[in-house]
Amino acid sequence: SGANLKSLLKRIDYYLHLMETYRSEATKNNVLLMRETVSSLIDNGQATSIEASACVGDLNDPKNKLREAFFHHSAIRCFWLGHNGRCRYYGKKCIDLFWQGGQATSYVAKFYLGLNSLGLLRKKKKSEVQLNKEVVRVAIAAMKDAADNS
């Protein structure tokens, strides 16, 4: 229903105020990414967006600590907004960064990429069916692994 998202948005705005007060730019950028995601989920950012946006820097720089968060939030936003191609693009970027680790973010990325692939399988794009089936298998395996480790 989005009621919890609106209260979450208020809390994020409070934290942004704190980040401004204490001049914590790195944390502020992470919180801004979260805020953009929540705003997109509520109303596609039409009435809940703000002027400030995260400064993520060079996304090709392996030392950029915000690129993982950027790809992760972009994949989630694209999935929920129905942008399947972009969701797959950002999801793959996310998985490439997190594939080796057992971090929670890697499981979330695999989950969304698997759900997105199921949607594409339903649309029956023949050129991508085999690829999407493999992505779904990987996502299911990751969810089983996550369940075993929880």
Side-chain angles (χ1 to χ4, degrees), residues 10-82:
K10 286 180 184 178
R11 184 170 289 241
I12 290 172
D13 286 339
Y14 170 73
Y15 288 127
L16 279 174
H17 171 71
L18 290 177
M19 297 306 114
E20 273 299 315
T21 303
Y22 295 107
R23 309 239 188 263
S24 179
E25 288 301 313
T27 307
K28 180 182 171 187
N29 283 321
N30 272 312
V31 173
L32 280 168
L33 282 171
M34 288 180 220
R35 193 193 189 291
E36 288 174 19
T37 300
V38 172
S39 176
S40 294
L41 294 176
I42 291 173
D43 64 359
N44 202 7
Q46 293 176 354
T48 57
S49 66
I50 59 174
E51 222 172 276
S53 63
C55 178
V56 293
D58 181 11
L59 295 174
N60 294 319
D61 181 8
K63 295 176 185 175
N64 183 350
K65 296 184 189 248
L66 280 176
R67 72 184 186 144
E68 291 92 352
F70 174 80
F71 291 139
H72 178 73
H73 283 280
S74 296
I76 291 171
R77 279 193 298 264
C78 290
F79 174 80
W80 286 108
L81 295 175

Side-chain angles (χ1 to χ4, degrees), residues 12 40 47 61 67 89-90 92 95 117 129 134 139 141-142 145:
I12 290 172
S40 294
D61 181 8
R67 72 184 186 144
Y89 171 79
Y90 288 121
K92 283 183 180 180
I95 297 228
S117 294
V129 166
E134 183 58 31
D145 185 39

